[in-house]
Amino acid sequence: MNTILIRHGETAANKTGHFQGSSDAPLNDKGLSQAKALARRLKSLDIQSIYSSPQKRAIQTAYPIAKSHDMDITEINGLRELDIGLLDGLDGQDLKDKYPAFLEQWRGNAGSLRMPGGESIVELQDRTWKAMQAIHLLHKRDTVIVVSHNFAIQSILIKVLGMDLKNFRRIKQDLAAITEIIFSQNE
């Protein structure tokens, strides 16, 4: 299976530095332009399916790609972004002011740390990997596009690379980034 992972385009929260997890923010004008550019870039690919997180910013990123391939988008809950709970909508200064103890732990070993009122990276990786396995079972020899989010994609890439979750911050990707994973047919 050849998987093209795509991080969603820019939202207002991305631009202002506010955290977004489960919030359902739409793409801003730049994000919509990024989505159209992704569709143009991926137009020549022979893809068999398009999967997306059900969150608005991911669906809006996937839509022009699906339209250019005359395909539907299959939404998968397992591809949602990390539920950051009470941190949703905060910025870095808010985090320092309201959750200094959490921030200190986050800097140390974020992999197993649960977000205040949310989930952990371990839980995120479990659900994103189950989603990827389900896609793989359906598309062992196909090329598919998967549109998701920063932490979700990081958790998938950490698993693929066999890295420890405490190192997830070593994986960086920009908004509207494309990452290709080629799974052997034996996997």
Side-chain angles (χ1 to χ4, degrees):
M1 179 172 85
N2 188 12
T3 303
I4 310 296
L5 288 173
I6 298 174
R7 184 178 176 197
H8 66 79
E10 185 180 89
T11 67
N14 293 128
K15 187 172 182 172
T16 61
H18 287 80
F19 307 127
Q20 56 187 350
S22 296
S23 62
D24 208 15
L27 297 178
N28 62 15
D29 288 341
K30 181 177 180 181
L32 292 169
S33 292
Q34 289 170 326
K36 290 175 186 172
L38 284 165
R40 286 189 302 274
R41 166 70 174 81
L42 300 169
K43 176 69 174 144
S44 65
L45 284 182
D46 180 23
I47 60 170
Q48 284 67 50
S49 202
I50 300 173
Y51 293 91
S52 178
S53 156
Q55 290 173 270
K56 190 177 292 182
R57 58 194 182 268
I59 292 292
Q60 287 181 310
T61 301
Y63 179 76
I65 301 165
K67 186 176 177 185
S68 73
H69 284 87
D70 195 27
M71 300 180 96
D72 292 328
I73 301 167
T74 302
E75 296 178 25
I76 298 181
N77 272 332
L79 298 172
R80 292 181 334 272
E81 179 59 299
L82 175 69
D83 180 354
I84 61 173
L86 301 173
L87 306 183
D88 219 318
L90 300 181
D91 65 17
Q93 189 60 52
D94 293 333
L95 179 60
K96 289 177 190 174
D97 294 345
K98 295 179 181 182
Y99 298 98
F102 171 81
L103 184 57
E104 186 62 33
Q105 290 176 315
W106 178 255
R107 289 181 178 144
N109 183 8
S112 60
L113 186 62
R114 178 179 295 282
M115 298 287 165
E119 66 184 332
S120 69
I121 300 286
V122 170
E123 292 167 317
L124 171 69
Q125 187 180 60
D126 182 56
R127 77 173 156 76
T128 58
W129 193 247
K130 284 178 183 171
M132 292 302 292
Q133 287 176 312
I135 292 168
H136 180 73
L137 285 173
L138 294 172
H139 299 282
K140 289 187 179 183
R141 292 187 171 92
D142 296 339
T143 297
V144 299
I145 290 178
V146 174
V147 182
S148 193
H149 309 269
N150 186 47
F151 286 128
I153 292 173
Q154 285 175 320
S155 74
I156 292 165
L157 294 175
I158 287 289
K159 182 77 169 182
V160 168
L161 295 170
M163 296 171 63
D164 190 295
L165 272 175
K166 69 181 178 185
N167 296 313
F168 81 93
R169 284 190 289 261
R170 296 177 80 185
I171 305 289
K172 303 283 186 208
Q173 56 182 328
D174 292 329
L175 294 162
I178 299 171
T179 304
E180 184 174 10
I181 302 172
I182 301 171
F183 293 94
S184 74
Q185 292 181 18
N186 298 332
E187 296 179 65

